[in-house]
mmCIF file of all heavy atoms in Angstrom:
data_model
loop_
_atom_site.group_PDB
_atom_site.id
_atom_site.type_symbol
_atom_site.label_atom_id
_atom_site.label_comp_id
_atom_site.label_asym_id
_atom_site.label_seq_id
_atom_site.Cartn_x
_atom_site.Cartn_y
_atom_site.Cartn_z
ATOM 1 N N HIS A 58 -0.615 8.564 -23.151
ATOM 2 C CA HIS A 58 0.530 8.163 -22.330
ATOM 3 C C HIS A 58 1.290 6.945 -22.862
ATOM 4 O O HIS A 58 2.462 6.777 -22.550
ATOM 5 C CB HIS A 58 0.116 7.951 -20.863
ATOM 6 C CG HIS A 58 -0.469 6.605 -20.574
ATOM 7 N ND1 HIS A 58 -1.793 6.327 -20.745
ATOM 8 C CD2 HIS A 58 0.106 5.446 -20.146
ATOM 9 C CE1 HIS A 58 -2.023 5.067 -20.432
ATOM 10 N NE2 HIS A 58 -0.884 4.493 -20.080
ATOM 11 N N ASP A 59 0.647 6.089 -23.665
ATOM 12 C CA ASP A 59 1.359 4.918 -24.189
ATOM 13 C C ASP A 59 1.668 5.035 -25.680
ATOM 14 O O ASP A 59 2.174 4.090 -26.283
ATOM 15 C CB ASP A 59 0.540 3.637 -23.946
ATOM 16 C CG ASP A 59 0.778 3.059 -22.549
ATOM 17 O OD1 ASP A 59 1.882 3.274 -22.000
ATOM 18 O OD2 ASP A 59 -0.135 2.409 -22.018
ATOM 19 N N VAL A 60 1.372 6.190 -26.262
ATOM 20 C CA VAL A 60 1.634 6.402 -27.684
ATOM 21 C C VAL A 60 3.147 6.375 -27.915
ATOM 22 O O VAL A 60 3.899 7.019 -27.198
ATOM 23 C CB VAL A 60 1.044 7.758 -28.137
ATOM 24 C CG1 VAL A 60 1.895 8.413 -29.200
ATOM 25 C CG2 VAL A 60 -0.364 7.575 -28.664
ATOM 26 N N GLY A 61 3.567 5.556 -28.861
ATOM 27 C CA GLY A 61 5.004 5.534 -29.163
ATOM 28 C C GLY A 61 5.849 4.836 -28.119
ATOM 29 O O GLY A 61 7.058 4.951 -28.119
ATOM 30 N N ASP A 62 5.198 4.095 -27.194
ATOM 31 C CA ASP A 62 5.949 3.375 -26.162
ATOM 32 C C ASP A 62 7.014 2.497 -26.824
ATOM 33 O O ASP A 62 6.737 1.773 -27.770
ATOM 34 C CB ASP A 62 4.985 2.511 -25.334
ATOM 35 C CG ASP A 62 5.644 1.865 -24.122
ATOM 36 O OD1 ASP A 62 6.512 0.999 -24.320
ATOM 37 O OD2 ASP A 62 5.297 2.248 -22.997
ATOM 38 N N HIS A 63 8.224 2.548 -26.258
ATOM 39 C CA HIS A 63 9.343 1.827 -26.898
ATOM 40 C C HIS A 63 9.114 0.326 -27.003
ATOM 41 O O HIS A 63 9.590 -0.314 -27.919
ATOM 42 C CB HIS A 63 10.659 2.111 -26.150
ATOM 43 C CG HIS A 63 10.625 1.686 -24.721
ATOM 44 N ND1 HIS A 63 11.269 0.581 -24.285
ATOM 45 C CD2 HIS A 63 10.005 2.210 -23.638
ATOM 46 C CE1 HIS A 63 11.065 0.433 -22.991
ATOM 47 N NE2 HIS A 63 10.290 1.417 -22.575
ATOM 48 N N LYS A 64 8.324 -0.245 -26.038
ATOM 49 C CA LYS A 64 8.094 -1.686 -26.094
ATOM 50 C C LYS A 64 7.179 -2.054 -27.265
ATOM 51 O O LYS A 64 7.126 -3.183 -27.691
ATOM 52 C CB LYS A 64 7.471 -2.171 -24.784
ATOM 53 C CG LYS A 64 8.510 -2.388 -23.689
ATOM 54 C CD LYS A 64 7.919 -2.894 -22.395
ATOM 55 C CE LYS A 64 7.093 -1.848 -21.663
ATOM 56 N NZ LYS A 64 7.684 -0.533 -21.538
ATOM 57 N N LEU A 65 6.433 -1.068 -27.757
ATOM 58 C CA LEU A 65 5.506 -1.347 -28.858
ATOM 59 C C LEU A 65 6.090 -0.951 -30.207
ATOM 60 O O LEU A 65 5.460 -1.079 -31.236
ATOM 61 C CB LEU A 65 4.189 -0.560 -28.654
ATOM 62 C CG LEU A 65 3.536 -0.676 -27.273
ATOM 63 C CD1 LEU A 65 2.344 0.258 -27.170
ATOM 64 C CD2 LEU A 65 3.097 -2.102 -27.019
ATOM 65 N N ASN A 66 7.307 -0.394 -30.210
ATOM 66 C CA ASN A 66 7.873 0.111 -31.456
ATOM 67 C C ASN A 66 9.301 -0.349 -31.678
ATOM 68 O O ASN A 66 10.192 0.455 -31.948
ATOM 69 C CB ASN A 66 7.826 1.655 -31.468
ATOM 70 C CG ASN A 66 6.416 2.159 -31.672
ATOM 71 O OD1 ASN A 66 5.891 2.110 -32.774
ATOM 72 N ND2 ASN A 66 5.803 2.631 -30.603
ATOM 73 N N ASN A 67 9.515 -1.629 -31.494
ATOM 74 C CA ASN A 67 10.844 -2.210 -31.742
ATOM 75 C C ASN A 67 11.967 -1.491 -31.006
ATOM 76 O O ASN A 67 13.039 -1.276 -31.558
ATOM 77 C CB ASN A 67 11.166 -2.242 -33.241
ATOM 78 C CG ASN A 67 10.036 -2.864 -34.035
ATOM 79 O OD1 ASN A 67 9.461 -3.849 -33.583
ATOM 80 N ND2 ASN A 67 9.710 -2.280 -35.175
ATOM 81 N N GLY A 68 11.705 -1.078 -29.780
ATOM 82 C CA GLY A 68 12.769 -0.534 -28.957
ATOM 83 C C GLY A 68 13.034 0.961 -29.073
ATOM 84 O O GLY A 68 13.800 1.512 -28.298
ATOM 85 N N THR A 69 12.415 1.653 -30.023
ATOM 86 C CA THR A 69 12.645 3.094 -30.090
ATOM 87 C C THR A 69 11.388 3.858 -29.660
ATOM 88 O O THR A 69 10.281 3.465 -29.988
ATOM 89 C CB THR A 69 13.038 3.562 -31.507
ATOM 90 O OG1 THR A 69 12.184 2.899 -32.427
ATOM 91 C CG2 THR A 69 14.484 3.261 -31.806
ATOM 92 N N ASP A 70 11.583 4.935 -28.945
ATOM 93 C CA ASP A 70 10.464 5.725 -28.455
ATOM 94 C C ASP A 70 10.102 6.814 -29.464
ATOM 95 O O ASP A 70 10.877 7.710 -29.733
ATOM 96 C CB ASP A 70 10.827 6.345 -27.108
ATOM 97 C CG ASP A 70 9.595 6.908 -26.435
ATOM 98 O OD1 ASP A 70 8.744 7.469 -27.154
ATOM 99 O OD2 ASP A 70 9.482 6.773 -25.215
ATOM 100 N N ARG A 71 8.897 6.688 -29.999
ATOM 101 C CA ARG A 71 8.484 7.650 -31.013
ATOM 102 C C ARG A 71 7.402 8.590 -30.491
ATOM 103 O O ARG A 71 6.709 9.229 -31.269
ATOM 104 C CB ARG A 71 7.958 6.890 -32.245
ATOM 105 C CG ARG A 71 9.026 6.066 -32.930
ATOM 106 C CD ARG A 71 8.416 5.077 -33.914
ATOM 107 N NE ARG A 71 7.578 5.765 -34.890
ATOM 108 C CZ ARG A 71 6.341 5.397 -35.224
ATOM 109 N NH1 ARG A 71 5.794 4.361 -34.644
ATOM 110 N NH2 ARG A 71 5.669 6.061 -36.129
ATOM 111 N N SER A 72 7.230 8.653 -29.165
ATOM 112 C CA SER A 72 6.079 9.405 -28.654
ATOM 113 C C SER A 72 6.116 10.895 -29.023
ATOM 114 O O SER A 72 5.092 11.445 -29.427
ATOM 115 C CB SER A 72 5.920 9.210 -27.153
ATOM 116 O OG SER A 72 7.093 9.563 -26.492
ATOM 117 N N ALA A 73 7.288 11.534 -28.907
ATOM 118 C CA ALA A 73 7.349 12.979 -29.192
ATOM 119 C C ALA A 73 6.928 13.260 -30.643
ATOM 120 O O ALA A 73 6.099 14.147 -30.903
ATOM 121 C CB ALA A 73 8.758 13.511 -28.923
ATOM 122 N N THR A 74 7.487 12.498 -31.565
ATOM 123 C CA THR A 74 7.162 12.687 -32.984
ATOM 124 C C THR A 74 5.671 12.472 -33.245
ATOM 125 O O THR A 74 5.018 13.265 -33.938
ATOM 126 C CB THR A 74 7.961 11.657 -33.826
ATOM 127 O OG1 THR A 74 9.295 11.635 -33.325
ATOM 128 C CG2 THR A 74 7.952 11.994 -35.291
ATOM 129 N N LEU A 75 5.135 11.385 -32.684
ATOM 130 C CA LEU A 75 3.723 11.069 -32.909
ATOM 131 C C LEU A 75 2.802 12.129 -32.306
ATOM 132 O O LEU A 75 1.822 12.538 -32.924
ATOM 133 C CB LEU A 75 3.397 9.696 -32.329
ATOM 134 C CG LEU A 75 3.936 8.500 -33.112
ATOM 135 C CD1 LEU A 75 3.799 7.208 -32.324
ATOM 136 C CD2 LEU A 75 3.192 8.371 -34.440
ATOM 137 N N ILE A 76 3.121 12.565 -31.096
ATOM 138 C CA ILE A 76 2.256 13.553 -30.429
ATOM 139 C C ILE A 76 2.290 14.884 -31.184
ATOM 140 O O ILE A 76 1.254 15.514 -31.407
ATOM 141 C CB ILE A 76 2.652 13.728 -28.941
ATOM 142 C CG1 ILE A 76 2.334 12.432 -28.175
ATOM 143 C CG2 ILE A 76 1.927 14.917 -28.306
ATOM 144 C CD1 ILE A 76 2.838 12.384 -26.747
ATOM 145 N N ARG A 77 3.472 15.292 -31.636
ATOM 146 C CA ARG A 77 3.558 16.538 -32.422
ATOM 147 C C ARG A 77 2.732 16.429 -33.703
ATOM 148 O O ARG A 77 1.961 17.334 -34.028
ATOM 149 C CB ARG A 77 5.009 16.866 -32.776
ATOM 150 C CG ARG A 77 5.675 17.698 -31.718
ATOM 151 C CD ARG A 77 7.082 18.146 -32.114
ATOM 152 N NE ARG A 77 7.880 18.188 -30.894
ATOM 153 C CZ ARG A 77 8.889 17.388 -30.614
ATOM 154 N NH1 ARG A 77 9.302 16.486 -31.487
ATOM 155 N NH2 ARG A 77 9.514 17.482 -29.470
ATOM 156 N N SER A 78 2.862 15.316 -34.410
ATOM 157 C CA SER A 78 2.137 15.229 -35.688
ATOM 158 C C SER A 78 0.629 15.170 -35.474
ATOM 159 O O SER A 78 -0.149 15.594 -36.323
ATOM 160 C CB SER A 78 2.634 14.066 -36.541
ATOM 161 O OG SER A 78 2.431 12.867 -35.862
ATOM 162 N N LEU A 79 0.215 14.703 -34.310
ATOM 163 C CA LEU A 79 -1.216 14.644 -34.002
ATOM 164 C C LEU A 79 -1.753 16.010 -33.548
ATOM 165 O O LEU A 79 -2.859 16.417 -33.925
ATOM 166 C CB LEU A 79 -1.417 13.602 -32.898
ATOM 167 C CG LEU A 79 -2.797 13.049 -32.601
ATOM 168 C CD1 LEU A 79 -3.396 12.396 -33.845
ATOM 169 C CD2 LEU A 79 -2.697 12.017 -31.475
ATOM 170 N N LEU A 80 -0.970 16.725 -32.739
ATOM 171 C CA LEU A 80 -1.498 17.947 -32.106
ATOM 172 C C LEU A 80 -1.197 19.256 -32.850
ATOM 173 O O LEU A 80 -1.944 20.229 -32.696
ATOM 174 C CB LEU A 80 -1.012 18.047 -30.653
ATOM 175 C CG LEU A 80 -1.508 16.938 -29.712
ATOM 176 C CD1 LEU A 80 -1.014 17.180 -28.290
ATOM 177 C CD2 LEU A 80 -3.038 16.811 -29.715
ATOM 178 N N ILE A 81 -0.130 19.297 -33.632
ATOM 179 C CA ILE A 81 0.175 20.549 -34.337
ATOM 180 C C ILE A 81 -0.997 21.001 -35.225
ATOM 181 O O ILE A 81 -1.392 22.168 -35.167
ATOM 182 C CB ILE A 81 1.526 20.460 -35.094
ATOM 183 C CG1 ILE A 81 2.684 20.516 -34.081
ATOM 184 C CG2 ILE A 81 1.678 21.607 -36.118
ATOM 185 C CD1 ILE A 81 4.067 20.212 -34.644
ATOM 186 N N PRO A 82 -1.648 20.081 -35.981
ATOM 187 C CA PRO A 82 -2.791 20.515 -36.809
ATOM 188 C C PRO A 82 -4.000 21.015 -36.014
ATOM 189 O O PRO A 82 -4.926 21.567 -36.606
ATOM 190 C CB PRO A 82 -3.164 19.244 -37.605
ATOM 191 C CG PRO A 82 -1.972 18.360 -37.517
ATOM 192 C CD PRO A 82 -1.313 18.665 -36.222
#
Side-chain angles (χ1 to χ4, degrees):
H58 83 274
D59 275 332
V60 146
D62 187 293
H63 60 105
K64 278 181 289 314
L65 310 174
N66 287 285
N67 310 320
T69 44
D70 193 322
R71 295 166 56 228
S72 56
T74 316
L75 286 169
I76 293 172
R77 271 185 214 113
S78 61
L79 196 58
L80 296 183
I81 287 170

